[in-house]
Amino acid sequence: MYRTARSSRRTFGIAVAAVAAAALVLTPMNAATAAPSAKACEQRNNNSVDKLLECVKRGGVLEHLDAFQRIADENGGNRAAGLPGYEASADYVADRLTRAGWNVTFDEFPYTYIGPSTLTQLTPTEADHETGAYTGSGSGEITGTIIAVDVVLAQPADTSSGCEPEDFDPAAFAGETDIALIQRGTCNFSVKVENAVAAGAEAVIIFNQGNDPTREGLIVGTLDPLVVDIPVVGASFAAGVALAEAGSTAFISVPQPEERPQRNVIAELPGKNRDNVVMLGSHLDSVQAGPGINDNGSGSAALLEIAEHIGKLKPQNTLRFAWWGAEEDGLLGSEAYVEGLDQAQLDRIALYLNFDMIASPNFIYMVYDGDESGYPAPVPVPEGSIQIEDLFESYFTALRIPYDDAEFSGRSDYEAFILNGIPAGGLFTGAEVVKTEQQAAIWGGTAGAQYDPCYHLACDTRQNIDAKALYVNVGAIATALFTYAYSTEKVNGVKGAKFTIGDLLPRPAGPQGTVGGSGGLAHEHGVREAA
């Protein structure tokens, strides 16, 4: 009895220390809170949250972001799949992990690279429109007449353009070379394109809907599982308006695809229980338009910095970290990885935690909505996901930091895991959605601006992050890591240590309720649906 009580008090003290350490990352380093030296951090076993965060506070996360920026600068301005910037990023992460004592492997998967596409309007005015090829597009060069298909340019631009075969006038597509101009809305892109091909279109342009600020910029998605022989490219709403003018003609070029196999970086730290694996992951690639420092250098750098400081840890459960490739092209790396596991290997994975965009400059703190209190999930939510959400919410509650729900939409690398029944959760600080007045009053920042104004743009640079949001989320990741490294009983029923830090955190205070509909929508990588 006495020993149990003493153990409880000791564990409670560790939990309080962990929360206090997490609070320290919110303040600048000074003489009173100076972190241990780099040498001390390398030599000691950082076997608690407070020890780990003392070392993380030295600024290593920001140093990794600087490294990703340098890699992009030296490789055409991006770290996109199929290009040298991604390869250099993967080598950088693998080298740092190997030196930190992790077992590092490269998980290769097939990848079809399509180079930069072109969309040039020729008449009635000349203009080069920003574009990109849809996954599943054919290649080639086409010059032809634009045929607008049931587009609605007046707001609110409610449209089902291209969703029905009847939307395509056979007489209009009887010309020599016709390009279908289709607007986003209502049905999957694959349905729109399939109907266009059946009508005789030689190419397709799908432009954004324009019905709210998040649907005005360039839209490029996936036709999966559809693959077509004709070029299919994207455009912004403004470009669509211009191309819809009477007498419009255009030139479209989609380069010939190349097979360029890509690599996920997988690092493992064996635990006493080899059959209960705790996975954490983030995508390492950027879009071709920019260096991707918030999206997703932020999640990648946070996991790398944490991993570097726990190489001497002896956890109860095996830890496995992943840096995914080709996420921006439709979650390809994580999907290929999970598809490559047999059922026994899948059964060993206790849970998966995902960190994608955790330092948005106009942030709000969000936790994946496993209990569907803010959103009905469009995908199955495996049992145990609610408990993961509760743990992250308890962390924010302990620090008296407001938080809200992020839709559990399956639009990041956790999708393949939850579709295979593996509990998942994670953190998110926002992408293209516009911050409301209510949210600005709670979290600060600028109402009327996107959570990340540089989302998928060239300006997603080292200056495009909020360091406070980044370090608050690093504390949350560390808290979850040390909880699940020692026990996943609350998630999957596998017993471990009797007490963990998570056991003694306060009950969640509850989300702020500022999101719903599209308010916390995760960013749309590989988006299939137009609605």
Side-chain angles (χ1 to χ4, degrees):
M1 186 73 158
Y2 171 76
R3 286 158 72 179
T4 301
R6 183 173 62 182
S7 176
S8 297
R9 287 195 297 271
R10 180 176 179 274
T11 308
F12 180 79
I14 292 173
V16 172
V19 173
L24 285 177
V25 302
L26 306 181
T27 61
M29 188 184 302
N30 55 43
T33 61
S37 68
K39 186 175 182 180
C41 285
E42 290 175 3
Q43 293 178 343
R44 77 182 187 181
N45 181 10
N46 293 308
N47 56 2
S48 65
V49 176
D50 51 328
K51 282 185 178 180
L52 172 61
L53 293 181
E54 282 178 354
C55 293
V56 169
K57 192 181 177 186
R58 297 186 64 259
V61 183
L62 302 180
E63 291 173 9
H64 294 317
L65 292 180
D66 289 335
F68 290 144
Q69 181 69 62
R70 284 195 303 272
I71 288 170
D73 291 343
E74 293 168 0
N75 291 280
N78 66 67
R79 301 181 301 104
L83 293 171
Y86 179 76
E87 292 301 309
S89 298
D91 288 340
Y92 172 79
V93 170
D95 178 65
R96 298 294 295 246
L97 291 166
T98 300
R99 285 191 280 160
W102 287 72
N103 298 326
V104 181
T105 58
F106 289 117
D107 175 61
E108 188 173 286
F109 60 93
Y111 175 74
T112 302
Y113 171 77
I114 300 177
S117 299
T118 301
L119 172 57
T120 302
Q121 186 169 357
L122 304 175
T123 60
T125 57
E126 291 189 23
D128 289 322
H129 297 299
E130 185 182 11
T131 194
Y134 277 61
T135 303
S137 166
S139 59
E141 295 184 350
I142 297 290
T143 299
T145 302
I146 299 291
I147 308 295
V149 179
D150 196 25
V151 302
V152 179
L153 304 182
Q155 298 307 318
D158 293 327
T159 177
S160 60
S161 168
C163 291
E164 303 294 336
E166 294 76 20
D167 293 342
F168 297 82
D169 179 3
F173 284 91
E176 185 174 340
T177 308
D178 300 309
I179 301 170
L181 178 68
I182 303 175
Q183 191 170 5
R184 180 185 188 182
T186 304
C187 65
N188 284 9
F189 298 130
S190 59
V191 173
K192 296 172 184 283
V193 172
E194 198 166 29
N195 289 335
V197 170
E202 278 78 28
V204 175
I205 302 167
I206 302 177
F207 71 98
N208 218 339
Q209 192 169 357
N211 58 329
D212 67 55
T214 71
R215 294 196 173 197
E216 293 179 353
L218 170 66
I219 178 68
V220 177
T222 179
L223 307 180
D224 184 50
L226 182 67
V227 177
V228 295
D229 294 328
I230 66 172
V232 180
V233 298
S236 67
F237 177 73
V241 171
L243 290 162
E245 289 188 53
S248 289
T249 58
F251 169 75
I252 295 173
S253 175
V254 175
Q256 187 73 25
E258 302 174 39
E259 293 306 315
R260 298 185 181 181
Q262 296 296 285
R263 303 176 293 169
N264 298 316
V265 182
I266 309 295
E268 186 158 301
L269 192 65
K272 294 177 183 178
N273 188 344
R274 301 294 184 97
D275 293 323
N276 200 45
V277 178
V278 173
M279 281 200 72
L280 294 82
S282 62
H283 77 85
L284 185 57
D285 62 314
S286 75
V287 294
Q288 292 185 20
I293 300 304
N294 183 42
D295 182 17
N296 181 38
S298 59
S300 293
L303 288 191
L304 180 56
E305 180 66 7
I306 288 172
E308 282 194 296
H309 287 100
I310 60 171
K312 293 182 172 61
L313 191 66
K314 306 298 181 186
Q316 171 67 25
N317 298 313
T318 294
L319 300 178
R320 185 181 301 160
F321 282 31
W323 287 261
W324 307 115
E327 189 267 2
E328 299 287 3
D329 295 275
L331 319 178
L332 301 184
S334 54
E335 184 178 85
Y337 174 82
V338 174
E339 285 182 353
L341 301 177
D342 60 31
Q343 191 58 52
Q345 291 169 320
L346 288 169
D347 291 343
R348 291 179 61 220
I349 301 175
L351 58 93
Y352 173 74
L353 306 179
N354 194 67
F355 306 103
D356 188 355
M357 299 183 68
I358 60 170
S360 304
N362 198 30
F363 69 90
I364 72 173
Y365 296 110
M366 287 183 277
V367 180
Y368 291 167
D369 187 19
D371 63 6
E372 302 180 73
S373 62
Y375 305 89
V379 289
V381 179
E383 199 171 331
S385 301
I386 293 174
Q387 286 70 27
I388 295 172
E389 179 187 9
D390 286 346
L391 176 61
F392 283 124
E393 291 184 347
S394 291
Y395 164 84
F396 287 111
T397 300
L399 293 182
R400 299 182 180 179
I401 294 175
Y403 60 87
D404 224 323
D405 291 318
E407 185 180 6
F408 208 44
S409 60
R411 287 179 175 167
S412 193
D413 286 303
Y414 61 92
E415 180 184 55
F417 292 89
I418 60 176
L419 292 179
N420 281 275
I422 297 170
L427 305 172
F428 180 54
T429 52
E432 78 274 32
V433 171
V434 171
K435 178 175 274 188
T436 67
E437 295 282 356
Q438 181 187 11
Q439 291 169 342
I442 296 170
W443 290 282
T446 305
Q450 293 180 183
Y451 299 138
D452 183 353
C454 289
Y455 174 64
H456 281 187
L457 298 176
C459 58
D460 187 9
T461 64
R462 177 63 176 78
Q463 285 68 49
N464 189 52
I465 63 120
D466 187 286
K468 175 182 176 180
L470 177 62
Y471 275 98
V472 167
N473 281 322
V474 166
I477 297 169
T479 300
L481 170 72
F482 275 98
T483 297
Y484 296 132
Y486 292 102
S487 178
T488 60
E489 184 174 4
K490 289 186 177 180
V491 176
N492 69 344
V494 176
K495 293 185 178 181
K498 189 170 184 179
F499 293 103
T500 67
I501 291 167
D503 294 328
L504 296 176
L505 292 177
R507 292 176 60 84
Q512 293 294 302
T514 69
V515 296
S518 64
L521 182 65
H523 51 327
E524 299 184 309
H525 299 325
V527 60
R528 296 173 174 85
E529 294 183 342

